Amino acid sequence: METAAKIVPTPQPAEPDTTEDGAIIVNNVDELLAAIAPGAKIRLAMGVYNLTEAADYGVTSEGKYYSWAEVYDGYELVIPGLDGLSITGSYKETTIATEPRYANVIRFVNCKNINLEAMVIGHTEKQGFCSGGVLYFDSCNDTYIDSCHLYGCGIIGIFAQNCKGVYANKCSIYECSQNAVYALSSQDVRIEN
């Protein structure tokens, strides 16, 4: 007597938790990357988000709103062409970090209305010289960085090139070997408090 094969449904990923204002709550680096999209509000739970530990680190896939650019000793996260991305952490209890010394931690290209708030961003602590920066904005408009701690060994905390409207408020930028902020061919760059 033959028995029928059991059909097991493919498990669907759980819907992410959201806050009252519609922000997606993420708990690890893979959830962070999956949440990146135009108009996304992302709330980071406490912890370290090491970009180098992402499941797709160095692999660029179709249909994602980010990519990985190769640098001498690894890859850097590139977020191109987004409008309205907001990432909020839990102040000093939330860190976005990367290991490659030649990578910027995050590079934004042709983006607008980017909001980064209440987190620590930098390179993992490791011996050696860095030549990458922390936050790199290329041809971006209306960028807001509020209450963030940006640290080296990155060479520049905030690098803005061909940007309009870069505003940093209540940020600490430390242990960067060349500059806290470097603006090239940019307009309306304001650093306060």
Side-chain angles (χ1 to χ4, degrees):
M1 178 173 194
E2 287 186 34
T3 57
K6 272 188 172 177
I7 298 175
V8 179
T10 304
Q12 298 298 316
E15 287 293 317
D17 292 332
T18 58
T19 62
E20 287 183 15
D21 67 350
I24 300 167
I25 301 171
V26 301
N27 297 289
N28 59 55
V29 68
D30 293 320
E31 290 178 3
L32 165 61
L33 295 172
I36 293 172
K41 292 180 184 177
I42 302 170
R43 181 80 41 85
L44 303 174
M46 291 185 288
V48 176
Y49 296 76
N50 186 335
L51 298 172
T52 315
E53 295 174 356
D56 69 349
Y57 176 72
V59 179
T60 298
S61 304
E62 294 287 322
K64 296 193 176 176
Y65 292 103
Y66 64 91
S67 63
W68 300 100
E70 188 170 7
V71 296
Y72 179 74
D73 59 343
Y75 297 88
E76 72 181 8
L77 177 64
V78 179
I79 300 176
L82 285 192
D83 184 357
L85 177 65
S86 177
I87 303 175
T88 304
S90 301
Y91 295 95
K92 288 188 176 182
E93 288 79 28
T94 305
T95 299
I96 296 176
T98 195
E99 293 177 19
R101 292 348 210 187
Y102 287 76
N104 295 292
V105 180
I106 306 174
R107 180 166 37 124
F108 294 90
V109 180
N110 294 317
C111 293
K112 59 183 177 179
N113 300 312
I114 300 298
N115 184 29
L116 304 173
E117 184 177 351
M119 68 186 87
V120 178
I121 306 171
H123 291 82
T124 57
E125 291 185 25
K126 187 159 94 172
Q127 292 287 69
F129 172 78
C130 272
S131 69
V134 182
L135 295 175
Y136 189 115
F137 299 97
D138 182 1
S139 304
C140 295
N141 294 338
D142 302 320
T143 300
Y144 303 92
I145 307 154
D146 188 27
S147 302
C148 288
H149 297 267
L150 311 177
Y151 68 92
C153 67
I155 60 172
I156 299 171
I158 299 171
F159 187 99
Q161 176 175 293
N162 301 316
C163 293
K164 291 181 184 175
V166 177
Y167 177 56
N169 184 39
K170 296 186 279 187
C171 292
S172 296
I173 302 173
Y174 51 95
E175 296 177 10
C176 292
S177 61
Q178 290 184 6
N179 296 295
V181 178
Y182 188 84
L184 176 65
S185 300
S186 295
Q187 301 172 17
D188 191 20
V189 176
R190 293 179 292 154
I191 312 299
E192 297 182 357
N193 300 315

